[in-house]
Amino acid sequence: MTAPNPTIKRLAVLTSGGDAPGMNAAIRAVVRTATYHGIEVVGVRRGFQGLHQGDLRLLGPRDVANIIQRGGTMLLTARSHTWRSAEGRAEGARHLREWHVDALVVIGGDGSFHGAHYLQQEHGIPVIGLPGTIDNDLYGTDHTIGYFTAVETALDAVDKLRDTAASHERIFVIEVMGRHAGHIALDVAVAGGAEEVFLPEDQKTVTDLLEVIRDSQARGKTSSIIIVAEGYPGGGQGIADAITKNTGIDTRLTVLGHIQRGGSPVSSDRVLASRLGEGAVEALIAGKSNIMVGRTGGGLTYVPFEETWEKRKDVSRALYRCAKVLSI
Ligand code: F6P
């Protein structure tokens, strides 16, 4: 049991690491929930880098009007190097004290949670994390803010590429984001009806792929879509080169890249961000700290930061099998 923390009069919020659609909705939810409970909010620009530099400003409920539908993050974001040193973090803690901030909400991925964890350990400032990354690679939550939108964006591209692949009877290799995890790749492969998918978690080799291509040609397929997560060794380029070299089939590579990080968040991301933002502030008021607020099976979860990086959220093996079965 944690004791409620009525001493929180002012909290700070920042976004950190790669941006994700829905981060604005999360900021809005944090600011408005805090206001609802009589707590002031300070926005930190450019994540931990801005905290180190003292780039803070007060945020009221009207400052977060008209942002729920916007991609990116109104607070800006960065991958901070200065935060990796104890001196950098001490400087950030000093700015929080100067601004009379009692607690910090961090919206980002596991790198950002590490940063928050150190701040709490070294300076005793209560911290709460919200999972904000398109990669969906955080243990303790079914989905991360931004994931649903990234999948929709990638899927839209796959549908378009399928049209031209079919017309030209080509193979299209499409690389999607996901440095360490294949969640985006797997969902896009199933929803886009891909012939094959390569994940960072995979043991599959290019030889297996060549067999799949030969089999599908024998079954009368004249075009194919191959989805590759960027974290698969060699990425999309490696797969495309191997197909061309070994089969001579007309093959094209499309790397979707950062387009997956932008755009207006879909409703599932807005709802998730709103619920988690509200949950984060209420968790702080309830005395919780050093945890991520996630959502599993429809309910909120409170996961110690360490677990978010020590435990792994595996891709769904059932979905992986489904992708294989349906590609026949
Ligand atoms: O935020 C996650 C992510 O989009 C990964 O999928 C990708 O590997 C990485 O960020 C790209 O980072 P950057 O924007 O720094 O190039």
Side-chain angles (χ1 to χ4, degrees):
M1 276 288 280
T2 41
N5 191 345
T7 60
I8 297 180
K9 303 264 182 288
R10 184 180 269 189
L11 60 80
V13 59
L14 60 80
T15 48
S16 166
D19 62 350
M23 279 185 163
N24 278 328
I27 296 166
R28 172 182 178 272
V30 167
V31 171
R32 293 200 170 171
T33 308
T35 307
Y36 178 85
H37 289 285
I39 297 170
E40 285 184 316
V41 180
V42 173
V44 183
R45 282 156 44 98
R46 294 188 191 81
F48 289 110
Q49 186 185 310
L51 186 50
H52 172 254
Q53 293 165 343
D55 194 352
L56 288 71
R57 63 197 56 194
L58 279 171
L59 279 185
R62 294 286 75 73
D63 295 316
V64 292
N66 200 19
I67 63 166
I68 195 167
Q69 79 283 18
R70 298 210 182 132
T73 159
M74 68 168 286
L75 286 176
L76 311 179
T77 186
R79 298 192 194 276
S80 172
H81 295 292
T82 44
W83 203 257
R84 295 194 184 140
S85 74
E87 294 75 31
R89 295 190 290 271
E91 189 65 4
R94 188 175 68 74
H95 288 304
L96 288 176
R97 279 193 298 272
E98 261 172 22
W99 277 77
H100 306 290
V101 166
D102 306 307
L104 175 68
V105 177
V106 171
I107 307 166
D110 66 339
S112 311
F113 294 168
H114 271 98
H117 173 72
Y118 288 130
L119 184 70
Q120 197 273 332
Q121 297 288 298
E122 294 166 1
H123 300 282
I125 297 168
V127 287
I128 296 271
L130 290 188
T133 165
I134 65 164
D135 286 357
N136 197 26
D137 58 350
L138 283 170
Y139 175 86
T141 187
D142 289 344
H143 301 104
T144 54
I145 298 164
Y147 173 66
F148 294 109
T149 308
V151 168
E152 291 307 320
T153 302
L155 186 59
D156 182 53
V158 169
D159 289 347
K160 288 175 173 143
L161 291 168
R162 184 177 275 292
D163 289 345
T164 177
S167 305
H168 284 266
E169 300 181 296
R170 282 172 170 159
I171 294 178
F172 260 85
V173 176
I174 305 169
E175 184 185 289
V176 299
M177 273 191 167
R179 218 179 341 207
H180 306 296
H183 298 281
I184 296 178
L186 186 52
D187 263 14
V188 167
V190 172
E195 272 61 40
E196 191 53 282
V197 58
F198 286 86
L199 315 177
E201 297 88 341
D202 255 350
Q203 303 300 317
K204 205 171 2 187
T205 64
V206 172
T207 317
D208 300 326
L209 171 65
L210 298 176
E211 214 166 291
V212 167
I213 292 172
R214 272 190 289 273
D215 282 358
S216 55
Q217 283 189 326
R219 287 197 306 273
K221 288 199 182 189
T222 56
S223 67
S224 293
I225 297 289
I226 317 286
I227 305 292
V228 184
E230 65 172 325
Y232 181 81
Q237 186 72 60
I239 299 288
D241 289 349
I243 298 171
T244 308
K245 186 164 155 248
N246 290 288
T247 69
I249 301 173
D250 207 7
T251 303
R252 294 289 185 274
L253 168 67
T254 301
V255 178
L256 296 183
H258 287 77
I259 195 168
Q260 294 159 99
R261 289 239 298 260
S264 178
V266 298
S267 62
S268 306
D269 276 325
R270 296 185 201 189
V271 172
L272 178 65
S274 300
R275 187 77 184 92
L276 294 184
E278 180 202 27
V281 174
E282 292 186 345
L284 276 173
I285 294 170
K288 295 189 187 345
S289 175
N290 217 22
I291 53 147
M292 175 194 82
V293 181
R295 192 181 63 182
T296 57
L300 294 190
T301 47
Y302 306 96
V303 190
F305 273 149
E306 286 99 328
E307 283 190 28
T308 66
W309 58 76
E310 279 167 8
K311 297 190 178 170
R312 190 173 170 81
K313 179 163 80 185
D314 200 9
V315 290
S316 161
R317 290 289 135 193
L319 197 58
Y320 191 74
R321 182 170 182 279
C322 177
K324 180 85 203 144
V325 169
L326 300 189
S327 69
I328 194 156

